[in-house]
Amino acid sequence: QVHVVESGGGLVQAGGSLRLSCAASGNSFSTLLMGWYRQAPGKPRELVATITRDASTNYADSVNYADSVKGRFTISRDNAKNTVLLQMNGLKPEGTAVYYCRTQALIWGDARPGDYWGQGTQVTVSS
C-alpha cells in the first residue's frame, strides 16, 4: 500500500498565497500521476492540477491545470522524494474547499497501478 499525506492548508485572505505539500510513502513503488483535487461542500470533487510521468509522457513531467487556476497555481514534484507541491497564488473565495492529494502509483510487481488518496487539507479563502 501507498500512504498519502497532505499538509499546508489554512486560512488566507483573497489574493493571498498558500503552498500545499503531499508526500507518498511506502515500499517499492513508482509514482505515475500525482495531483490535487478539491471538493467544496455540496459540490463534486474536481481536478485542480496534476503532474504525470509515465510512458505516455516519455517519462517526462507533464502538467495539467484546471482552467480556473491556470496562471495562478503551479504544481511541481520531487520524484526522488515522491512529493508533490501546489503553489497557490491569487487565491479566490471560490477556492475554498478541502484539497485532496491523489497519487497514482505502481507497486513493483503489480500488473496495474492503483489510486491512493490523502485525507485532505482544508483551504479557506476569505474576502
Side-chain angles (χ1 to χ4, degrees):
Q1 291 293 305
V2 177
H3 295 96
V4 180
V5 179
E6 309 103 324
S7 63
L11 176 64
V12 65
Q13 295 281 345
S17 298
L18 282 174
R19 182 165 61 206
L20 305 183
S21 179
C22 171
S25 62
N27 297 118
S28 301
F29 71 95
S30 299
T31 58
L32 306 175
L33 178 151
M34 298 190 78
W36 293 94
Y37 298 73
R38 65 188 180 189
Q39 187 169 26
K43 302 291 185 180
R45 190 172 298 184
E46 64 178 3
L47 179 147
V48 177
T50 62
I51 183 162
T52 302
R53 177 178 53 82
D54 59 22
S56 70
T57 67
N58 292 318
Y59 302 100
D61 289 339
S62 179
V63 301
N64 182 45
Y65 296 98
D67 288 342
S68 60
V69 307
K70 286 181 179 177
R72 298 185 296 115
F73 290 11
T74 303
I75 189 169
S76 61
R77 68 190 294 174
D78 184 334
N79 295 320
K81 296 182 178 180
N82 291 318
T83 61
V84 61
L85 303 177
L86 184 68
Q87 178 66 46
M88 304 186 294
N89 299 326
L91 283 163
K92 302 176 180 180
E94 305 92 272
T96 295
V98 177
Y99 285 67
Y100 296 92
C101 179
R102 175 194 175 200
T103 297
Q104 185 184 58
L106 178 65
I107 298 174
W108 300 346
D110 284 0
R112 299 178 300 275
D115 278 313
Y116 305 89
W117 292 85
Q119 79 287 352
T121 185
Q122 177 71 47
V123 172
T124 302
V125 185
S126 64
S127 60

